[in-house]
Amino acid sequence: MKLLVINPNISDDVTALIEAEALRSASDGTELVVRTAGHGVEYIETRFEALIAAGAVAELIAEYTHDDGTPASDARSGSAVDGVVVAAFGDPGMPALKELVDIPVIGITEAALCAAALQGQRFSIIAISDRIQAWYRDCVERFGFGGRLASIRSINQSLNSIGSVQADFKETLLALSRQAVAEDGADVVILAGAPLAGLARDLEGQIPVPVVDGISAGIRMAEAVVSLKSGTHRGGSFAAPPVKARRGLSPNLDAVMTAAQAAHLSATS
């Protein structure tokens, strides 16, 4: 199995954190192609920044997808990509990206929420900034978990570097996690965001409830969904977008949309 793992931020140091945790989490035999967004912002905190990132993620998915609609091909190795992991909490472009290709596209937020829901009734999210909370709440509601959210707690200090958040604020993040359990009633804690990838391993045993890492959950959930072989969206709300005039798209993105629409029309005609 081969997974395309996309960092929707433009930070290469965050991509390194993502790749390290993804490699630790992946099953034997799973190969990873880890890529960084070609345009956007250093790290996403707002709805608008997420909107920008969604386009960058779509371009990378298109780059690694054949124009005939079959699973993506990595030109560097020639083997198929079986699934995609969108590796930023808040899942930029999700769930709309599921309409683009016939392979599973999994966001780490939805994966982490599902993992948390399997381990407790209520969960709390630990985030890297106060500003990011509104976007995260929107995302939790969109995926249908709003009634199970105990709290979102976040760092309320300026960040020195997005790549060093774990080192700079480890004790703060630990304290926020413990407060979520003691004061908010969290049964599970989610350490949110790619900059916190791998921190759950470092804090093992120091938080009195299960702790979910978004990157780890994303990789494992993607592996599971790919292995299920459930089929593709040829109908319903995640079918390919209807055929209509368009312009200004990159050749890769235009080709992938054309292929998806052709496959849909063929299946429904």
Side-chain angles (χ1 to χ4, degrees):
M1 180 187 305
K2 187 176 219 180
L3 300 178
L4 173 62
V5 183
I6 301 173
N7 175 14
N9 308 281
I10 62 169
S11 304
D12 290 329
D13 48 359
V14 173
T15 302
L17 292 171
I18 292 169
E19 184 166 21
E21 180 58 25
L23 288 168
R24 288 191 292 262
S25 303
S27 302
D28 292 341
T30 295
E31 184 179 353
L32 304 175
V33 180
V34 184
R35 295 291 179 264
T36 307
H39 65 268
V41 298
E42 180 184 10
Y43 60 98
I44 306 162
E45 289 185 278
T46 73
R47 302 174 186 90
F48 185 73
E49 290 173 344
L51 181 65
I52 296 171
V57 173
E59 290 291 351
L60 277 169
I61 293 175
E63 181 181 345
Y64 284 86
T65 303
H66 280 311
D67 61 6
D68 62 1
T70 58
S73 174
D74 181 359
R76 297 164 181 79
S77 68
S79 58
V81 170
D82 302 293
V84 177
V85 177
V86 180
F89 214 83
D91 293 358
M94 297 290 289
L97 292 167
K98 296 179 187 290
E99 301 175 20
L100 185 59
V101 287
D102 279 349
I103 55 176
V105 183
I106 307 296
I108 66 168
T109 310
E110 189 170 21
L113 295 175
C114 289
L118 290 171
Q119 298 181 77
Q121 183 62 31
R122 289 168 62 76
F123 56 83
S124 287
I125 295 171
I126 308 303
I128 63 172
S129 78
D130 289 343
R131 180 66 194 275
I132 214 167
Q133 287 198 28
W135 173 39
Y136 282 3
R137 287 186 186 279
D138 285 354
C139 190
V140 172
E141 291 288 344
R142 184 171 71 245
F143 287 127
F145 288 95
R148 300 179 71 170
L149 178 64
S151 63
I152 301 178
R153 288 181 175 263
S154 56
I155 299 169
N156 63 0
Q157 303 174 52
S158 298
L159 306 182
N160 299 319
S161 167
I162 193 61
S164 65
V165 172
Q166 292 186 42
D168 296 341
F169 294 100
K170 183 176 180 179
E171 292 305 317
T172 299
L173 293 162
L174 176 59
L176 291 171
S177 299
R178 289 171 171 169
Q179 288 168 3
V181 177
E183 300 175 22
D184 305 330
D187 302 313
V188 183
V189 166
I190 300 172
L191 296 179
L196 302 186
L199 182 60
R201 296 177 188 270
D202 292 340
L203 298 181
E204 184 175 359
Q206 299 181 59
I207 301 169
V209 297
V211 181
V212 174
D213 181 297
I215 300 300
S216 179
I219 295 297
R220 285 296 195 170
M221 290 290 184
E223 289 178 333
V225 174
V226 170
S227 297
L228 283 172
K229 300 184 184 299
S230 303
T232 57
H233 294 286
R234 293 292 185 242
S237 65
F238 289 108
V243 177
K244 61 190 70 170
R246 57 179 183 257
R247 65 185 176 193
L249 302 184
S250 69
N252 282 335
L253 192 55
D254 190 69
V256 170
M257 288 189 65
T258 297
Q261 291 166 338
H264 173 72
L265 289 174
S266 176
T268 56
S269 61

